[in-house]
């Protein structure tokens, strides 16, 4: 542990002109007294750490000293590509690895470029979870993430309805969608034979057990995680759109439809939009999950969308219109 801390201290001093004892103590998560002892140990080992006393003092490396201890390990290099998603790193247990990788990169940069990581972080940030919800990281996510990184087979138990199912999986990749984690995996083991199973998607918060096996699997080099996820997401969206609604939309309704309903459904409905009718509106057929869901979603369009069918849904909106007229037609006092 101390050796790793000493290396980190050298890298910190290499990436910044001067650091105070309190700054080093905070970064290294030790006391200032430990920082003093570590600086003395480095000096005795031949690393030219110089301590400047006084109000503006601190620790620095003398004479442009540069260490060669900046080589990235494989795990650090991989985690570095995820460093723009700090929440995801924490949930997968990779925050410390990514921090070490960023520090090594900073130490290797020219002095004129050392503020690049900070300036980039102040300009770009990815906030993956959906609005108005407090995402909770699945307990088993770090275990599953380890299996993904190491290409190790996984024996998993997950909830399917009211029962539990056991599967031996080849975990290919993780996807974070609107604050929910998914595992894209190929079913392996005795069910399908090594490397011959079908790829499936599992919600990680439905896993109730996961054991990383000793066996490694050989990845299919043709597997494309973004492409697979995109196809699965669209297939899922289409699978739940089991009902149809006929709408007459204004120009504003056409513009806003993709924001009110499922984007896949809106894209299909608006493909080859016909010319406006005599009322400057267009008639489209929209696939929806159910009449209940359609009622909730289409209410957001207000008078920009008129339901033509089914009759039961049209009657709901007519009843809504009557209630709104009564509500807003009343005069106080």
């Amino acid at each position: 542990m101390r050796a790793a801390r000493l290396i980190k201290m050298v890298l910190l001093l290499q990436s910044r002109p001067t650091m105070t004892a309190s700054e080093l103590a905070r970064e290294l998560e030790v006391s200032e007294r430990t920082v003093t002892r570590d600086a003395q140990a480095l000096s005795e080992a031949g690393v030219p750490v110089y301590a400047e006393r006084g109000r503006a003092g601190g620790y620095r490396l003398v004479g442009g000293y540069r260490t060669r201890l900046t080589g990235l390990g494989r795990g650090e290099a991989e985690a570095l590509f995820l460093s723009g998603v700090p929440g995801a790193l924490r949930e997968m247990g990779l925050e410390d690895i990514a921090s070490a990788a960023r520090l090594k990169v900073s130490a290797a940069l020219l002095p004129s470029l050392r503020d690049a990581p900070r300036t980039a972080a102040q300009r770009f940030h990815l906030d993956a979870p959906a609005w108005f919800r407090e995402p909770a990281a699945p307990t088993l996510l770090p275990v599953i993430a380890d299996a993904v990184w190491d290409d190790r087979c996984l024996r998993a138990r997950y909830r399917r309805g009211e029962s539990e199912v056991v599967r031996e999986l080849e975990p290919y990749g993780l996807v974070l969608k609107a604050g929910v984690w998914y595992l894209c995996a190929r079913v392996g083991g005795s069910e399908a034979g090594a490397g011959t199973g079908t790829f499936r998607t599992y919600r990680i918060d439905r896993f109730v057990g996961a054991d990383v096996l000793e066996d490694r699997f050989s990845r299919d080099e043709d597997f494309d995680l973004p492409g697979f996820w995109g196809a699965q997401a669209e297939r899922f969206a289409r699978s739940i759109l089991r009902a149809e609604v006929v709408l007459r939309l204004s120009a504003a309704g056409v513009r806003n439809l993709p924001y009110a309903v499922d984007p896949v459904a809106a894209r299909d409905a608006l493909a080859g939009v016909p010319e406006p009718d005599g009322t400057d509106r267009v008639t489209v057929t929209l696939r929806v999950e159910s009449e209940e869901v359609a009622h909730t979603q289409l209410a957001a369009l207000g008078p920009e969308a008129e339901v033509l069918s089914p009759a039961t849904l049209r009657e709901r909106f007519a009843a809504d219109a009557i209630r709104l007229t009564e509500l807003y037609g009343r005069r106080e006092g």
Side-chain angles (χ1 to χ4, degrees), residues 143-152 171-174 183 217 219:
V143 175
I144 295 171
D146 284 345
V148 170
W149 283 117
D150 211 21
D151 291 342
R152 288 191 182 276
Y172 268 65
L174 294 168
L183 172 67
F217 63 92
R219 296 181 71 90

Side-chain angles (χ1 to χ4, degrees), residues 138 140-141 144 174 181-183 202-208:
L140 294 172
L141 178 60
I144 295 171
L174 294 168
W181 283 96
Y182 296 86
L183 172 67
Y202 302 86
R203 272 187 65 142
I204 293 181
D205 58 8
R206 292 179 182 165
F207 281 69
V208 295

